[in-house]
Amino acid sequence: GKTAKTDWKWSGSGAVGLKVCAFRGEFEYNQLFGSAKDTRVLANGDTTQGKQFYRSYMLNGYFDIPTYTPVHPYVGAGVGLARVKSRLAYLDDDYITKKRKTKVAYQLMAGVGYNITRNWTLDLGYRWVDNGKTRWNTVNGEASFDSTQHQLTMGIRYTF
């Protein structure tokens, strides 16, 4: 299948967790602002456009690699649920179909933290997210939308 080329989108997240030595665990909520879009041509020549909106609830674990400096890289992984709202529209006519599904989601993360103070850390990272695939079986063939994403993240952490 064709890989969707999606414009840059903003998302926001918040998390609460626990840190023990170099290990961190957290519960995270993430919301995409706007929609991810993909346009495809089916086997019969019909043009479709898929849109997805999602929010996810994840349990994440991280390992902060000790460097004994204010800069410390980290790696992490997460698993959870994504609430996905999808819409498929035939651009040749006004037919629209919608789906809402809860799917298993997972993610892999890597980045670097910079300790501004003892309690505040600036965080820059990369995240690969898979919120699953939505499929439509139509009279003109199957249309699908894959919500795998590459995300650049920036945030600030407070540690008690």
Side-chain angles (χ1 to χ4, degrees), residues 5 10 18-19 24 28 30 53 56 58 60-61 68 70 84 101 109 119 128-130 133 138 146 152 160:
K5 296 196 188 302
W10 289 97
L18 180 66
K19 181 176 180 175
R24 292 183 282 131
E28 175 193 40
N30 191 336
F53 307 85
S56 61
M58 305 293 288
N60 299 322
Y68 308 104
V84 180
K101 293 204 173 213
M109 295 85 69
N119 299 92
W128 177 80
V129 181
D130 189 342
K133 184 179 272 194
T138 69
D146 186 359
L152 299 175
F160 292 96

Side-chain angles (χ1 to χ4, degrees), residues 1-19:
K2 176 181 159 290
T3 301
K5 296 196 188 302
T6 303
D7 294 332
W8 287 83
K9 300 293 177 193
W10 289 97
S11 68
S13 65
V16 61
L18 180 66
K19 181 176 180 175

Side-chain angles (χ1 to χ4, degrees), residues 12-33:
S13 65
V16 61
L18 180 66
K19 181 176 180 175
V20 177
C21 298
F23 296 95
R24 292 183 282 131
E26 69 181 17
F27 173 77
E28 175 193 40
Y29 170 80
N30 191 336
Q31 171 79 47
L32 176 71
F33 301 122

